[in-house]
Each structure stands twice: as structure tokens, then as C-alpha cells.
Amino acid sequence: DPPTPDAIAQAARTPEQASQLWLAARLAATPDEPTERAFLDALAHRLSLPPPLVAELEKELARAAPAGA
């Protein structure tokens, strides 16, 4: 079974680790899929990531994506 948002969140010891864990999950997920978006939203909540930070992390990923990806 894949890890739950709670299990992943328990690994975060600092806010930076929380952001990195969310980014890693986001890179592995397909956010257009409702279940995967729900997972990412639940993970952000469990990691105590505020919505503006999650939005900024999404923007960083978009900027880092190769052209045409």
C-alpha cells in the first residue's frame, strides 16, 4: 500500500522538510486526477503548509518544467 498523508507528514521535522516532502509527492502525482489532487491537498494540510505556500511551490514546479512538458 502507498503511504498515507499522515505517514509522510510524520517524516517532516522542519518546515523545509515539509515543503520538500510535498514537492516530491507532487512530482510523483498527476494533480489532474481527483484522487491524486485530494491526496496532495490532504498532505499539504497534514504538513501544515499554508495554501499560499503550496501555490508558490506549484509555480516553482511550473517554472522548472522543461519547455513542452
Side-chain angles (χ1 to χ4, degrees):
D1 288 338
T4 65
D6 287 332
I8 295 170
Q10 288 176 2
R13 300 287 181 243
T14 66
E16 292 80 13
Q17 287 178 345
S19 293
Q20 291 171 351
L21 286 166
W22 186 89
L23 281 168
R26 170 57 185 81
L27 286 169
T30 306
D32 295 339
E33 294 291 325
T35 55
E36 293 191 24
R37 173 48 59 190
F39 177 87
L40 290 170
D41 292 346
L43 181 58
H45 177 75
R46 301 298 190 291
L47 291 167
S48 300
L49 298 177
L53 176 58
V54 173
E56 184 58 35
L57 294 172
E58 289 273 12
K59 287 179 190 173
E60 286 180 27
L61 286 175
R63 285 191 298 265

